[in-house]
Amino acid sequence: MNGMIFAAGLGTRLAPLTDTMPKALVEVDGKPLLEHAINQFAKGGVTTLVINVHHFADLIKKYVEANKQKWPNTKICISDESDYLLDTGGGLVKALEYFTDDKPIVVGNADVYCDVPIDWLYNEHLKSSRSATLLTRKRPSTRQLLFDADGRLSGWRNKTTEEERLPRVKDVATESLHESAFCGFHVIEQGLVRFWLPVHKFPIIDAYLKVAADDKIYEVDLDKKYYWFDVGTIEKLNTVEEFVKQRKQ
């Protein structure tokens, strides 16, 4: 199974911690967020795992090299974006060079702390002929994805500015759409990733919206039995630490 973890972000919202380290090495429960993420992917059966780096790239490289024995069945590759940060879409396109087969890629973020089984998400994607499957949850978020009754991606809405993008407006009634927030995990067919070549900087959600009218991009709702936290700010980091503490009691 192929996997990718985004770990290249600047992590400005986690300052001052990220003044001296990448956000992927910020610790939760005594371990770097990146270690939690790699554990999750390795446990889910990922055998080729790409990690992209930019901010404090050398620290992540050193961490992976020093700890790779923890994941003997997972080959970890570093996609170096030190010279130019490619955003989530461009980073994924660049990572294509590390995958030796045409199987789908499971993608996640280092700054998300959760216990979603990677193999479960992968198998949900394989249930039908899809170009991509996005992990979503009905939760508060400024930016909401819009899906039709079958769970197919049909648009995007900014709750603050009321801006909308509706690429499937000719195919589906807008009043029938429901909102779900993206959880940072998705499974994508390599054929769709290659469609975005050559390597260039772009956000993955914008790219999904541009092809939503022609490609089958669906959601799978995050089951409430799994926990999920965005660890993008100091406040959210403290929330996760309190959650972990309570689970240990």
Side-chain angles (χ1 to χ4, degrees):
M1 190 188 302
N2 298 315
M4 181 174 186
I5 297 173
F6 290 125
L10 300 177
T12 53
R13 296 182 300 155
L14 276 170
L17 295 176
T18 47
D19 291 343
T20 56
M21 70 173 73
K23 65 179 178 179
L25 296 187
V26 171
E27 292 190 350
V28 167
D29 193 27
K31 297 178 182 179
L33 284 165
L34 183 59
E35 181 167 333
H36 291 290
I38 298 174
N39 286 341
Q40 182 183 17
F41 275 67
K43 181 180 179 181
V46 171
T47 52
T48 299
L49 178 63
V50 178
I51 301 170
N52 73 336
V53 295
H54 175 81
H55 186 56
F56 289 110
D58 287 345
L59 292 182
I60 294 181
K61 292 177 184 178
K62 290 177 181 178
Y63 167 80
V64 171
E65 182 62 29
N67 291 275
K68 62 184 181 181
Q69 73 280 358
K70 295 180 180 179
W71 309 285
N73 298 318
T74 302
K75 178 184 178 182
I76 301 178
C77 308
I78 300 294
S79 182
D80 197 328
E81 298 177 24
S82 296
D83 293 335
Y84 186 61
L85 189 58
L86 291 167
D87 210 325
T88 50
L92 181 55
V93 174
K94 186 178 186 302
L96 275 175
E97 62 183 294
Y98 297 98
F99 301 115
T100 59
D101 58 40
D102 289 328
K103 294 180 180 179
I105 306 167
V106 187
V107 185
N109 290 321
D111 62 351
V112 169
Y113 181 77
C114 68
D115 65 343
V116 178
I118 295 299
D119 51 348
W120 168 76
L121 179 59
Y122 186 82
N123 289 330
E124 285 293 315
H125 173 77
L126 295 180
K127 283 183 178 179
S128 58
S129 178
R130 303 177 177 185
S131 297
T133 301
L134 315 184
L135 185 68
T136 64
R137 172 172 273 177
K138 291 177 175 58
R139 59 181 177 85
S141 177
T142 300
R143 293 166 293 183
Q144 296 282 341
L145 294 176
L146 305 176
F147 296 89
D148 67 16
D150 294 325
R152 183 173 174 180
L153 180 64
S154 302
W156 174 93
R157 177 179 293 141
N158 187 311
K159 303 289 284 186
T160 301
T161 65
E162 297 185 356
E163 176 191 359
E164 286 188 339
R165 304 178 199 172
L166 300 168
R168 297 188 62 223
V169 67
K170 295 180 180 179
D171 303 319
V172 61
T174 56
E175 62 270 16
S176 68
L177 302 179
H178 66 268
E179 297 179 348
S180 292
F182 182 46
C183 290
F185 283 78
H186 46 126
V187 185
I188 183 169
E189 295 292 327
Q190 288 193 45
L192 180 54
V193 183
R194 286 193 292 271
F195 175 78
W196 293 318
L197 283 165
V199 176
H200 62 289
K201 181 178 181 178
F202 65 97
I204 192 67
I205 291 299
D206 282 0
Y208 279 144
L209 289 168
K210 288 178 180 178
V211 300
D214 299 312
D215 286 273
K216 295 180 179 179
I217 301 169
Y218 285 83
E219 69 171 337
V220 57
D221 186 73
L222 178 60
D223 195 307
K224 291 184 178 180
K225 68 182 178 182
Y226 303 120
Y227 61 78
W228 181 94
F229 294 93
D230 168 17
V231 196
T233 66
I234 295 294
E235 181 182 7
K236 291 177 179 179
L237 177 63
N238 292 336
T239 297
V240 173
E241 289 287 11
E242 183 60 29
F243 169 78
V244 173
K245 179 180 178 181
Q246 291 180 1
R247 280 175 61 90
K248 290 183 175 181
Q249 291 177 351

